[in-house]
Structure formats: structure tokens, C-alpha cells
Amino acid sequence: MEPGQLQIETFAGDAMRPHIPALAALRMRVFREFPYLYDGDEAYEATYLADFIAAPSAALVVAFDGDRPVGCSTCVRLAEEDDALRAPFAAAGIDVARVFYFGESVLLSEYRGRGVGVAFFAAREAHARAVSACDLAAFCAVRRPADHPLRPQNAASLEPLWRRRGFTPYPNLVCRISWKQVDTEAEVENTLSFWLKPLCGGALP
Ligand SMILES: CC(C)(COP(=O)(O)OP(=O)(O)OC[C@H]1O[C@@H](n2cnc3c(N)ncnc32)[C@H](O)[C@@H]1OP(=O)(O)O)[C@@H](O)C(=O)NCCC(=O)NCCS
């Protein structure tokens, strides 16, 4: 798939390995911005990404401008993810084995609005269908108050994009993850809420 001049490729298994430094760099750069405000840490990135590539069902989707990676997106079976992500589903009575978890999508700002985000969803859904029998896709997004002091005046909401991709918000299905922010001295706990989509045309839980 080629949105504009960009090439979108999906990598799994050992083929992900050469692209992990690009994923770490893009995460640290893009997640520094509102709403994540993540003050990235290379040691944390190395541990987190080593766990990620060890998961048998994991895939990494990369957007290339020529040879240069300008965006990345990840997915993995929820059953292979951390307890912090699995526990809310178990508590809500949703079988974790049904769920393919879509992790981050990070794209340099100058490449946005030309369909890469749409291509990231399509590639991850294709991977989920190819490697699993999961009938639900899920991702989570950080919640920030409308009057957050670091919210840019022209901040665009991704919610319309997610709804048009077929996802439904579950505001009460939340996880809590801590990270050091650009505006804090230490790690702070953030609340993220999930969005779900049926992968096989079935009903939502
Ligand atoms: C999330 C993110 C990757 C989305 O990237 P994006 O490339 O701007 O998104 P897209 O261009 O695919 O989608 C935006 C709109 O442009 C449309 N679009 C523009 N050009 C298009 C093209 N050539 N082909 C298809 N769609 C196109 C899309 O259809 C979509 O509109 P729609 O929702 O009405 O369908 C990007 O905004 C980002 O990195 N954000 C910061 C990090 C973040 O918050 N990530 C999400 C949580 S992990």
C-alpha cells in the first residue's frame, strides 16, 4: 500500500529487529508531544521493545519515505501483553484470548493527513486475521482534561478517525500506566481508555 509517496511494510519475528531503533526513536519523538507528553528514556524503551519483539504474534508496521522510517505502528495478541493491559478485560468479563491489541501509532507530523494512519489500521487488522483467531481488536488512548494546560489550541482529535475505522469507545474499560512526563519531575500514573472493534463481523461485548 502506498499512501502518497510512502511505502508501508509489515514485519514480524526476527524481521522486526532492524527496525526497532527507528520505533524507539519515533516513540520518543512523537510521544513527547501532547497528549502523551512522554519524556522518553532509552533504557525503558530497550526493555519495553525487547519484550515486544519476543512475543510470537507481534508485528511492526513501518512507513518509509524512501529508505527513511517516518512512522511505526505495532500489534500483538493481548494474551501476550502485560497484566496492566490484560487485567481490565478480565475484570470486565471479556476473554483476553479474543483480543488482538493494537499498540502505538507514531508518525512524524509532516507526514500526517495522507492516509498512513488508515494504512496502519488496515495492516494490523490483516496481521491479526492472518496469525490469530481473535475476533476483537482493541487499542487504548490516554485521557486528558479539555482544559489541560499543555493542550495545543488547534489540537486535532483522533476520535473521528478511530470511529470511521469502526472502533467504539469503552470509557469505563481503562488501564493505568505510569511514565515520566515532560512537565513532571517523576513518573506519574496516566489513565488510558480502550476502544474496541469486531474483527469478524460479530457483536461487541
Ligand atoms: C495517529 C496518527 C499515526 C494518524 O496518522 P495520519 O496519517 O495523520 O492519519 P490518516 O491520514 O491516515 O487519517 C487522517 C484522515 O485523513 C484521510 N486521508 C488523507 N489522505 C488519505 C489517503 N491518501 N488515503 C487514505 N486516507 C487519507 C483519512 O481517511 C483520515 O480521514 P477519515 O478519518 O475521515 O477517514 C498520527 O496522527 C500520529 O502520529 N499522532 C500522534 C501519536 C498518537 O496520538 N497516536 C495515537 C495513539 S498511539
Coordinates of all heavy atoms in Angstrom, one line a residue, residues 87-135:
A87 N -5.6 -7.1 32.5 CA -6.5 -7.2 33.7 C -7.8 -6.5 33.5 O -8.8 -7.0 33.9 CB -5.7 -6.6 34.9
P88 N -7.9 -5.3 32.9 CA -9.2 -4.6 32.7 C -10.2 -5.5 31.9 O -11.4 -5.5 32.2 CB -8.9 -3.3 32.0 CG -7.4 -3.1 32.2 CD -6.8 -4.4 32.4
F89 N -9.7 -6.2 30.9 CA -10.6 -7.1 30.1 C -11.1 -8.3 31.0 O -12.3 -8.6 31.0 CB -9.8 -7.6 28.9 CG -9.6 -6.6 27.9 CD1 -8.6 -5.6 28.0 CD2 -10.5 -6.4 26.8 CE1 -8.4 -4.6 27.0 CE2 -10.4 -5.4 25.8 CZ -9.3 -4.5 26.0
A90 N -10.1 -8.9 31.7 CA -10.6 -10.0 32.6 C -11.6 -9.5 33.6 O -12.6 -10.2 33.8 CB -9.3 -10.6 33.3
A91 N -11.4 -8.3 34.2 CA -12.3 -7.8 35.2 C -13.7 -7.5 34.6 O -14.7 -7.5 35.2 CB -11.7 -6.5 35.8
A92 N -13.7 -7.1 33.3 CA -14.9 -6.8 32.6 C -15.6 -8.0 32.0 O -16.6 -7.9 31.3 CB -14.7 -5.8 31.5
G93 N -15.0 -9.2 32.2 CA -15.6 -10.5 31.7 C -15.4 -10.7 30.2 O -16.1 -11.5 29.6
I94 N -14.4 -10.0 29.7 CA -14.1 -10.2 28.2 C -12.9 -11.1 28.2 O -11.8 -10.8 28.7 CB -13.7 -8.9 27.5 CG1 -14.9 -7.9 27.7 CG2 -13.4 -9.1 26.1 CD1 -14.6 -6.5 27.3
D95 N -13.0 -12.3 27.5 CA -12.0 -13.2 27.4 C -10.8 -12.6 26.6 O -10.9 -12.2 25.5 CB -12.5 -14.5 26.6 CG -11.5 -15.6 26.5 OD1 -10.3 -15.4 27.0 OD2 -11.8 -16.6 25.9
V96 N -9.6 -12.6 27.3 CA -8.4 -11.9 26.8 C -8.0 -12.6 25.5 O -7.5 -12.0 24.6 CB -7.3 -12.0 27.9 CG1 -6.0 -11.7 27.3 CG2 -7.7 -11.1 29.0
A97 N -8.3 -13.9 25.4 CA -7.9 -14.7 24.2 C -8.6 -14.2 22.9 O -8.1 -14.5 21.8 CB -8.1 -16.1 24.4
R98 N -9.7 -13.4 23.1 CA -10.4 -13.0 21.9 C -9.8 -11.7 21.3 O -10.2 -11.3 20.2 CB -11.8 -12.6 22.3 CG -12.7 -13.7 22.7 CD -14.1 -13.2 23.2 NE -14.8 -12.5 22.1 CZ -15.9 -11.7 22.3 NH1 -16.4 -11.6 23.5 NH2 -16.5 -11.1 21.3
V99 N -8.8 -11.1 22.0 CA -8.5 -9.7 21.7 C -7.1 -9.6 21.1 O -6.1 -10.1 21.6 CB -8.5 -8.8 23.0 CG1 -8.2 -7.4 22.6 CG2 -9.9 -9.0 23.6
F100 N -7.0 -8.9 19.9 CA -5.7 -8.5 19.4 C -5.5 -7.1 19.7 O -6.3 -6.2 19.5 CB -5.7 -8.7 17.8 CG -4.3 -9.2 17.4 CD1 -4.1 -10.5 17.2 CD2 -3.3 -8.3 17.0 CE1 -2.8 -11.0 16.8 CE2 -2.1 -8.7 16.6 CZ -1.8 -10.1 16.5
Y101 N -4.4 -6.8 20.4 CA -4.1 -5.4 20.9 C -3.3 -4.6 19.9 O -2.2 -5.1 19.4 CB -3.3 -5.6 22.2 CG -2.9 -4.2 22.8 CD1 -3.8 -3.3 23.2 CD2 -1.6 -3.9 22.8 CE1 -3.4 -2.1 23.7 CE2 -1.1 -2.6 23.3 CZ -2.1 -1.7 23.7 OH -1.7 -0.5 24.2
F102 N -3.8 -3.5 19.6 CA -3.1 -2.5 18.7 C -2.3 -1.5 19.6 O -3.0 -0.8 20.3 CB -4.1 -1.8 17.7 CG -4.7 -2.7 16.7 CD1 -4.4 -4.0 16.6 CD2 -5.5 -2.2 15.7 CE1 -5.0 -4.9 15.6 CE2 -6.1 -2.9 14.7 CZ -5.8 -4.3 14.7
G103 N -1.0 -1.5 19.5 CA -0.2 -0.6 20.3 C -0.1 0.7 19.7 O -1.1 1.2 19.1
E104 N 1.1 1.3 19.8 CA 1.2 2.7 19.3 C 1.1 2.8 17.8 O 1.4 1.9 17.1 CB 2.5 3.3 19.8 CG 3.8 2.5 19.3 CD 4.1 1.3 20.3 OE1 4.7 1.5 21.3 OE2 3.6 0.2 20.0
S105 N 0.7 4.0 17.4 CA 0.9 4.5 16.0 C 1.6 5.8 16.2 O 1.1 6.8 16.8 CB -0.4 4.7 15.3 OG -1.0 3.5 14.9
V106 N 2.8 6.0 15.6 CA 3.5 7.2 15.7 C 4.0 7.6 14.3 O 4.7 6.8 13.6 CB 4.7 7.1 16.7 CG1 4.2 7.1 18.1 CG2 5.5 5.8 16.5
L107 N 3.7 8.8 13.9 CA 4.1 9.3 12.6 C 4.6 10.7 12.7 O 3.9 11.5 13.4 CB 2.8 9.2 11.7 CG 2.9 9.7 10.2 CD1 3.8 8.7 9.4 CD2 1.5 9.7 9.6
L108 N 5.7 11.0 12.0 CA 6.2 12.4 12.1 C 5.1 13.3 11.5 O 4.4 13.0 10.6 CB 7.5 12.5 11.2 CG 8.7 11.7 11.7 CD1 9.9 11.9 10.8 CD2 9.0 12.1 13.2
S109 N 5.0 14.5 12.2 CA 3.8 15.4 11.9 C 3.7 15.8 10.4 O 2.6 15.9 9.9 CB 3.9 16.6 12.8 OG 5.1 17.3 12.7
E110 N 4.9 16.0 9.8 CA 4.8 16.4 8.4 C 4.3 15.4 7.4 O 4.0 15.7 6.3 CB 6.2 16.9 7.9 CG 7.4 15.9 8.0 CD 8.1 15.9 9.3 OE1 7.5 16.1 10.4 OE2 9.4 15.7 9.3
Y111 N 4.1 14.2 7.9 CA 3.6 13.1 7.0 C 2.1 12.8 7.3 O 1.5 11.8 6.8 CB 4.4 11.8 7.2 CG 5.8 12.0 6.6 CD1 6.9 12.4 7.4 CD2 6.1 11.7 5.2 CE1 8.2 12.6 6.9 CE2 7.3 11.9 4.7 CZ 8.4 12.3 5.5 OH 9.6 12.5 5.0
R112 N 1.5 13.5 8.3 CA 0.1 13.2 8.7 C -0.9 13.7 7.6 O -0.6 14.6 6.9 CB -0.2 13.8 10.0 CG 0.7 13.1 11.1 CD 0.4 13.7 12.5 NE 1.5 13.2 13.4 CZ 1.9 13.7 14.5 NH1 1.1 14.7 15.0 NH2 2.9 13.2 15.2
G113 N -2.1 13.1 7.7 CA -3.2 13.5 6.8 C -3.1 13.0 5.4 O -3.8 13.5 4.5
R114 N -2.3 12.0 5.1 CA -2.3 11.4 3.8 C -2.5 9.9 3.8 O -2.1 9.2 2.9 CB -1.0 11.8 3.0 CG 0.3 11.8 3.8 CD 1.5 11.9 2.9 NE 2.3 13.0 3.1 CZ 3.5 13.1 2.6 NH1 4.0 12.2 1.8 NH2 4.3 14.2 2.8
G115 N -3.1 9.5 4.9 CA -3.6 8.1 4.8 C -2.7 7.1 5.5 O -3.1 5.9 5.5
V116 N -1.6 7.5 6.1 CA -0.8 6.5 6.8 C -1.4 5.9 8.0 O -1.4 4.7 8.2 CB 0.6 7.1 7.2 CG1 1.5 6.1 7.9 CG2 1.3 7.6 5.9
G117 N -2.1 6.7 8.8 CA -2.8 6.2 10.0 C -3.9 5.1 9.5 O -4.0 4.1 10.2
V118 N -4.6 5.4 8.4 CA -5.6 4.4 7.9 C -4.8 3.1 7.5 O -5.3 2.0 7.8 CB -6.3 5.0 6.7 CG1 -7.2 4.0 6.0 CG2 -7.2 6.2 7.2
A119 N -3.7 3.3 6.8 CA -2.9 2.1 6.4 C -2.4 1.3 7.6 O -2.4 0.1 7.5 CB -1.8 2.6 5.5
F120 N -2.0 2.0 8.6 CA -1.6 1.3 9.8 C -2.7 0.4 10.4 O -2.4 -0.7 10.8 CB -1.1 2.3 10.9 CG 0.2 2.9 10.7 CD1 0.6 4.0 11.4 CD2 1.2 2.3 9.9 CE1 1.9 4.6 11.3 CE2 2.5 2.9 9.7 CZ 2.8 4.0 10.4
F121 N -3.9 0.9 10.4 CA -5.0 0.1 10.9 C -5.3 -1.1 10.0 O -5.4 -2.2 10.5 CB -6.3 0.9 11.1 CG -6.4 1.6 12.4 CD1 -6.3 3.0 12.5 CD2 -6.6 0.9 13.6 CE1 -6.4 3.7 13.7 CE2 -6.6 1.6 14.8 CZ -6.5 3.0 14.9
A122 N -5.3 -0.9 8.7 CA -5.5 -1.9 7.7 C -4.4 -3.0 7.8 O -4.8 -4.2 7.8 CB -5.6 -1.4 6.3
A123 N -3.2 -2.6 8.0 CA -2.1 -3.6 8.1 C -2.2 -4.4 9.3 O -1.9 -5.6 9.3 CB -0.7 -2.9 8.0
R124 N -2.6 -3.8 10.4 CA -2.6 -4.5 11.7 C -3.8 -5.4 11.7 O -3.8 -6.6 12.2 CB -2.7 -3.5 12.9 CG -1.3 -2.8 13.1 CD -1.3 -1.8 14.2 NE -2.3 -0.7 14.0 CZ -2.5 0.2 14.9 NH1 -1.9 0.2 16.1 NH2 -3.3 1.2 14.6
E125 N -4.9 -5.0 11.1 CA -6.1 -5.9 11.1 C -5.7 -7.1 10.2 O -6.1 -8.3 10.5 CB -7.3 -5.2 10.5 CG -7.9 -4.2 11.5 CD -9.1 -3.4 11.0 OE1 -9.8 -3.9 10.1 OE2 -9.3 -2.3 11.5
A126 N -5.0 -6.9 9.1 CA -4.6 -8.0 8.2 C -3.7 -9.0 9.0 O -3.9 -10.2 8.9 CB -3.9 -7.5 7.0
H127 N -2.8 -8.4 9.8 CA -1.9 -9.3 10.5 C -2.7 -10.1 11.6 O -2.5 -11.3 11.7 CB -0.8 -8.5 11.2 CG 0.1 -9.3 12.0 ND1 1.1 -10.0 11.5 CD2 0.2 -9.5 13.4 CE1 1.8 -10.7 12.5 NE2 1.2 -10.3 13.6
A128 N -3.6 -9.4 12.3 CA -4.4 -10.1 13.3 C -5.1 -11.3 12.8 O -5.2 -12.4 13.3 CB -5.3 -9.1 14.0
R129 N -5.7 -11.0 11.6 CA -6.5 -12.1 10.9 C -5.6 -13.2 10.5 O -6.0 -14.4 10.5 CB -7.3 -11.5 9.8 CG -8.4 -10.6 10.2 CD -9.4 -10.3 9.0 NE -10.5 -9.5 9.5 CZ -10.6 -8.2 9.5 NH1 -9.6 -7.5 8.9 NH2 -11.6 -7.6 10.0
A130 N -4.4 -12.9 10.0 CA -3.5 -13.9 9.5 C -2.9 -14.8 10.6 O -2.7 -16.0 10.3 CB -2.4 -13.2 8.7
V131 N -2.7 -14.3 11.8 CA -1.9 -15.0 12.8 C -2.8 -15.5 14.0 O -2.3 -16.1 14.9 CB -0.7 -14.3 13.3 CG1 0.2 -13.9 12.1 CG2 -1.0 -13.1 14.1
S132 N -4.1 -15.1 14.0 CA -4.9 -15.4 15.2 C -6.3 -15.7 14.8 O -6.7 -15.4 13.7 CB -4.8 -14.3 16.2 OG -5.7 -13.3 15.9
A133 N -7.0 -16.2 15.8 CA -8.5 -16.3 15.6 C -9.2 -15.3 16.4 O -10.4 -15.4 16.7 CB -8.9 -17.7 16.1
C134 N -8.5 -14.2 16.8 CA -9.1 -13.2 17.6 C -10.3 -12.5 16.9 O -10.1 -12.3 15.7 CB -8.1 -12.1 18.0 SG -6.8 -12.6 19.1
D135 N -11.3 -12.3 17.6 CA -12.5 -11.6 16.9 C -12.7 -10.2 17.4 O -13.7 -9.6 17.0 CB -13.8 -12.5 17.1 CG -14.3 -12.5 18.5 OD1 -13.4 -12.2 19.5 OD2 -15.5 -12.7 18.7

